[in-house]
Amino acid sequence: QVQLVESGGGLVQAGGSLRLSCAASGRTFSSGVMGWFRQAPGKEREFVAGIGRSGYTYYADSVKGRFTISRDNAKNTVYLQLNSLKPEDTAVYYCAADYSNSVWSIQAQARYEYWGQGTQVTVSS
């Protein structure tokens, strides 16, 4: 059974930084495409960043240049470094994993079979 456990969320002032972690278990981590999504209050969940098996990365325009996704296959962990945070980045952040040969694009929620429980990020102004 695949489990994804996020950590690293918290309260930070605008302009600050956080690093989110997502520890995966239950499948061969290196074979997974990993994504980060977020959901703000009253809004739909949206794509933030994704990283493929070979390490290629993809970002939402709203976070490009501020957030960095990375993976450590030896630790079965994917990270999301959040820099220059803005109040509009406030949301619950979710980690997601795809271990299939999905035809969906990396930013599509439908691609991902497994989801974590989420970690809250709150950015104060």
Side-chain angles (χ1 to χ4, degrees):
Q1 176 138 2
V2 174
Q3 281 194 317
L4 303 175
V5 180
E6 301 101 331
S7 61
L11 173 64
V12 64
Q13 289 187 332
S17 298
L18 284 173
R19 189 175 82 154
L20 307 183
S21 300
C22 172
S25 61
R27 293 287 292 270
T28 303
F29 180 75
S30 59
S31 67
V33 173
M34 305 299 295
W36 284 98
F37 292 78
R38 66 186 180 185
Q39 186 168 21
K43 295 187 177 181
E44 294 186 353
R45 188 162 58 185
E46 64 176 3
F47 172 79
V48 175
I51 186 165
R53 300 176 182 87
S54 62
Y56 74 88
T57 58
Y58 193 89
Y59 298 93
D61 288 343
S62 60
V63 307
K64 205 172 292 183
R66 300 188 298 121
F67 293 6
T68 302
I69 188 171
S70 61
R71 66 192 298 162
D72 186 335
N73 291 338
K75 294 184 178 180
N76 293 346
T77 301
V78 61
Y79 304 97
L80 186 67
Q81 178 68 40
L82 291 66
N83 295 332
S84 302
L85 281 161
K86 304 174 181 179
E88 51 263 45
D89 294 318
T90 295
V92 177
Y93 283 70
Y94 297 92
C95 172
D98 160 43
Y99 293 98
S100 70
N101 291 320
S102 175
V103 298
W104 291 95
S105 63
I106 198 169
Q107 67 264 44
Q109 295 187 49
R111 179 189 189 114
Y112 298 90
E113 310 152 270
Y114 305 100
W115 294 82
Q117 82 289 349
T119 186
Q120 176 71 47
V121 171
T122 303
V123 184
S124 63
S125 56

